[in-house]
Amino acid sequence: MIAQVKPDFLRALVDIGSNGVRYSISELSPDRARIMPTIYQDRSAISLYDAQYKAGKPIAIPQPVIDDLLINLVRFKRTCEDFEVPHDRVRVVATEATRKALNGDDLRQQVERATGWSVELLAKEEEGRIGALGVASSFHSIKGLVMDLGGGSIQMTWMTAQDGEVKTSPKGAVSFPYGAAALMRRLGEIDTNGLDSLRQEMSSNFETALQQLEVPEALAKAANDDGGWTMYLSGGGFRGWGYILMSLHSVAPYPIPIINGFRVPKSSFLPNLDEYSDPESMFRISSRRASQVPAVNFLIKALVQSIPSISYIHFAQGGIREGLLFSALPPSIQSQHPLVAATQTYAPAATASLVRILQSTLPQTSPSANDLKPPAALTSPEMLTSIVHLLHVHASSPKDIRASSALRSTTTGLLGDAHGLSHVDRCLLALVLCERWGGDPSPSDEVYLNKMQELAGVEASWWAKYVGCSAAGIGELFPAGVVRTGEENQVKAEVGWSAVEKKGKREVALGYKISTAIQGVDSAVEAWRLGMEKVGKKKNHIGGRDGWGVRILASVER
C-alpha cells in the first residue's frame, strides 16, 4: 500500500493532548477519503497535564518533559519526510494542557525552532467543535448528545448529522474541567464528605449546559419519542470505558475488537465494577487508563444523574485528529456512506444491475400475524451495494478459506481499518459474506461465527444467511461481475409469502421463484435454487431444528 500512495493526498497530524501526544499520517485520495485511511500512527505517553502539577500545585512544564516531546516530534518529522508528506500538509495542534500551561507559549516556540512546524493552540470552543466533527466522521448519521472526554476537560454539545450535513449548537460546545486526569487529581484531593458535593456540582453543571446549548425542539421531541437521549462518546477516557463494557458484554468474548460503532443500552452503561477488581487485565486497557477508571466511573454516575433519560450510548473513535481531517473534506465526500466508500474499490462493473437483482430477492411484505421482514440494516441500499461490491473479492482465495476470510473481512480483514462503520453493519455484512461462500468456515472460525450470530440475534442471523445465499446465486450466475447488454432485465427473483400445510400443520413459507431468460446458465440457476431451499430447511435454521428460520419454496421459471 505504501508504494501506491501519492504524496499530494497525504496529511500528517500531531495532536498534543493532555494525556499523550498522537502522531498520524492519513491518505485522503478521493475514492477512500471518507473512511480516512491511516498509513502511520504512533503515540507518546507524555502527559503534559500531569507534568504541570507538583504536590497538588500548578508548575511550569519541566524542561525534561519538553525535551522528551521535542525528541518525539523530530522523529515524527523524519517519518513524514520518509513518507514524502509535503511540508505544508503537516498540522500540529495543542489543546487543554497547553492552553493552561504556565509556560505554554515557550513550549510552542521550542517546538517551532526544533521542527519548523508552528503549533495551533485550539480555543476550548474550537476544540469542542473539532471534536464533535470527529464524532460526526465516526458514523453515517447522528442524532443526539455528544461528549468528548480528554485528560484535562470534557466538552458537551448536541448534534445532528445526515449525508454530510452536520449541525451543532450555535453556542458551540460547553467545556468543563472534568477530564479524566483532572478529575482523578481532584478526587485525590477531597475526602469522602466532599464526594457528594463534587457529584452535585458536576450534575448541576451538566443540567445547566443542556439548557445553554439550545437543543432544537425537534431533537428534544425525538429523544422523548425514542425513550431517551442517544449519547455519542469520544475521547480516551470514554473509549477506555467502552472497552471495559465490551469485556463485560453478554456476548463473550465480544467478536468485534473495534471501539468505533460499539453501543450499549443505558442498563449496561454502569456495571458493578466491584466484581471486577483488575480492569488492567481487560483488552485495550493500559495501566494509565486503569488508574483513571474510578474517575470515569464517578463522572458517568454524575452524568446519568443529570440526564436520567438516556436510551443508548455509542462509542466513537473520532476525536481531534478525525475532526480536523473530516472538516477539510468537501461536502461531496463528507456525505458518502462509510460502508459504500469502504467497499467502492472492489465494485464490479455491473454494480447497479447486480444490486437490482439482489433487491428483487427481498420479501416486500410480511404475513399479518408475524413481522417476518428482514431487518432494515440488512436491506438498506448502502448494505446491498456493499454486498455487491464485495461479491467476488474472495474468489481468488483457496476454497478452504473463502468463508473464513469473508467472515473475518469486516473486522481484521479488508474493512478492518475502515473508519465510520457501526458494529451492526460489520456484523451483518460478515454473516452475509460468509454465507455467500458457503457458510462453512474452518473449525477454528466456527466459534467466531457463533459469536457473530449471537451478537446479531437469531432472526437477523437467519436473514443474513438468506441474503448471503441469494448473493451466492447471483455471484455464480455472473462470475466476472459483468451483466451483458440486454441481460439487465432477464434475471430476477419473485418472492412472496404463503401458507402451506405440512404433516397436518399450517406454517408460513416464502415462495422464491428465480426467473431468467439467459441461455446456457441452467446449472448455475439450479445451484441457486437448491441453495435457497437448503437455507430454509429446519436443520439449517439458527439454533438447529428447534431454532429460528423460514421454510423456502424455491423454483425456476425459464
Side-chain angles (χ1 to χ4, degrees):
M1 177 180 176
I2 292 177
Q4 301 172 358
V5 171
K6 294 182 179 180
D8 286 347
F9 295 135
L10 297 180
R11 303 291 185 273
L13 278 171
V14 180
D15 174 13
I16 303 176
S18 299
N19 269 335
V21 184
R22 296 168 180 80
Y23 318 86
S24 67
I25 300 175
S26 301
E27 193 268 322
L28 300 183
S29 56
D31 60 332
R32 284 172 58 81
R34 176 60 184 86
I35 58 172
M36 299 186 292
T38 302
I39 62 173
Y40 174 85
Q41 57 184 321
D42 196 9
R43 181 182 184 276
S44 297
I46 301 172
S47 175
L48 297 186
Y49 184 89
D50 288 349
Q52 295 181 52
Y53 291 91
K54 186 174 183 179
K57 296 182 178 180
I59 62 171
I61 298 174
Q63 188 59 42
V65 176
I66 297 177
D67 290 340
D68 193 13
L69 172 64
L70 297 179
I71 289 171
N72 282 276
L73 285 170
V74 170
R75 176 176 172 236
F76 181 58
K77 183 176 183 180
R78 175 186 171 91
T79 300
C80 289
E81 292 169 351
D82 289 345
F83 276 98
E84 299 182 0
V85 180
H87 183 78
D88 62 351
R89 303 295 171 85
V90 181
R91 193 170 180 182
V92 184
V93 299
T95 55
E96 176 81 2
T98 307
R99 279 200 307 268
K100 297 183 68 174
L102 299 178
N103 56 340
D105 289 343
D106 176 57
L107 182 151
R108 293 163 61 201
Q109 291 169 7
Q110 289 194 53
V111 170
E112 186 164 4
R113 287 196 298 269
T115 64
W117 296 333
S118 61
V119 180
E120 301 176 48
L121 188 61
L122 299 180
K124 62 180 181 180
E125 295 81 11
E126 180 68 359
E127 180 182 349
R129 187 186 73 84
I130 294 296
L133 287 174
V135 176
S137 76
S138 303
F139 304 91
H140 174 59
S141 62
I142 287 178
K143 186 172 64 175
L145 301 179
V146 174
M147 300 189 79
D148 184 1
L149 178 62
S153 63
I154 181 171
Q155 283 78 37
M156 176 180 179
T157 190
W158 60 262
M159 176 185 290
T160 61
Q162 183 71 38
D163 297 327
E165 184 179 0
V166 181
K167 295 180 180 179
T168 60
S169 171
K171 301 291 186 179
V174 180
S175 181
F176 306 100
Y178 305 139
L183 190 56
M184 183 172 65
R185 180 179 63 82
R186 191 167 173 183
L187 289 173
E189 295 173 350
I190 60 177
D191 56 23
T192 304
N193 294 329
L195 293 179
D196 287 340
S197 177
L198 176 58
R199 185 179 294 110
Q200 282 301 121
E201 171 198 319
M202 295 171 66
S203 295
S204 176
N205 284 339
F206 290 147
E207 288 177 11
T208 302
L210 197 54
Q211 298 170 1
Q212 293 175 342
L213 289 170
E214 298 180 1
V215 177
E217 184 177 339
L219 183 58
K221 183 179 184 301
N224 184 65
D225 294 344
D226 294 341
W229 287 101
T230 299
M231 304 285 295
Y232 299 87
L233 306 182
S234 68
F238 278 143
R239 285 195 292 272
W241 190 259
Y243 280 117
I244 289 176
L245 299 183
M246 196 180 287
S247 296
L248 303 179
H249 200 278
S250 59
V251 179
Y254 190 82
I256 303 177
I258 301 167
I259 195 61
N260 194 82
F262 176 60
R263 75 168 191 171
V264 295
K266 179 185 176 181
S267 59
S268 301
F269 194 34
L270 268 174
N272 182 9
L273 293 183
D274 293 338
E275 301 175 12
Y276 308 95
S277 58
D278 187 20
E280 191 176 343
S281 65
M282 296 177 177
F283 177 66
R284 296 286 292 149
I285 302 296
S286 65
S287 58
R288 179 169 179 78
R289 289 297 175 210
S291 71
Q292 294 177 348
V293 164
V296 178
N297 188 34
F298 188 88
L299 184 149
I300 289 174
K301 287 180 178 178
L303 177 63
V304 171
Q305 179 178 326
S306 62
I307 311 175
S309 181
I310 297 174
S311 57
Y312 277 92
I313 299 93
H314 297 251
F315 292 87
Q317 178 64 44
I320 295 296
R321 184 185 81 88
E322 290 79 9
L324 290 169
L325 293 173
F326 189 71
S327 65
L329 298 177
S332 60
I333 292 180
Q334 288 183 343
S335 65
Q336 293 175 355
H337 195 292
L339 195 56
V340 176
T343 57
Q344 180 66 44
T345 303
Y346 311 101
T351 292
S353 296
L354 296 174
V355 169
R356 283 195 294 271
I357 297 172
L358 185 57
Q359 284 177 323
S360 74
T361 69
L362 303 175
Q364 301 303 309
T365 59
S366 61
S368 57
N370 299 290
D371 186 11
L372 296 178
K373 288 191 298 185
L378 187 58
T379 60
S380 70
E382 295 81 13
M383 175 62 76
L384 297 179
T385 299
S386 299
I387 293 169
V388 168
H389 283 172
L390 301 177
L391 198 59
H392 303 94
V393 75
H394 294 98
S396 61
S397 299
K399 288 185 177 181
D400 319 59
I401 63 170
R402 286 177 185 170
S404 290
S405 297
L407 179 65
R408 297 275 187 175
S409 64
T410 65
T411 50
T412 56
L414 295 172
L415 306 184
D417 65 344
H419 178 67
L421 307 188
S422 71
H423 281 207
V424 171
D425 285 344
R426 290 185 188 273
C427 180
L428 292 178
L429 183 57
L431 294 175
V432 169
L433 295 177
C434 180
E435 188 65 28
R436 185 269 181 264
W437 294 107
D440 186 23
S442 66
S444 62
D445 285 316
E446 190 71 34
V447 173
Y448 182 77
L449 172 62
N450 293 337
K451 291 302 175 183
M452 289 292 258
Q453 290 177 337
E454 188 179 350
L455 183 62
V458 291
E459 294 186 26
S461 294
W462 186 86
W463 282 113
K465 284 170 67 74
Y466 173 92
V467 174
C469 193
S470 294
I474 296 168
E476 295 306 309
L477 195 58
F478 302 102
V482 173
V483 178
R484 298 183 183 184
T485 303
E487 292 182 348
E488 293 90 345
N489 299 314
Q490 293 187 17
V491 178
K492 67 176 181 178
E494 296 178 28
V495 180
W497 296 97
S498 62
V500 297
E501 190 165 318
K502 184 177 182 181
K503 296 182 179 179
K505 294 182 179 180
R506 291 180 66 80
E507 62 179 31
V508 173
L510 191 59
Y512 190 107
K513 182 168 66 177
I514 305 167
S515 301
T516 179
I518 301 176
Q519 300 299 313
V521 295
D522 290 6
S523 60
V525 173
E526 179 61 13
W528 182 358
R529 184 191 71 79
L530 291 173
M532 297 310 303
E533 279 198 348
K534 181 180 176 182
V535 168
K537 292 184 179 297
K538 284 192 173 183
K539 66 178 182 180
N540 295 316
H541 288 183
I542 305 300
R545 292 185 177 278
D546 296 324
W548 200 95
V550 176
R551 184 180 178 189
I552 297 176
L553 306 175
S555 60
V556 175
E557 182 179 83
R558 301 292 302 182

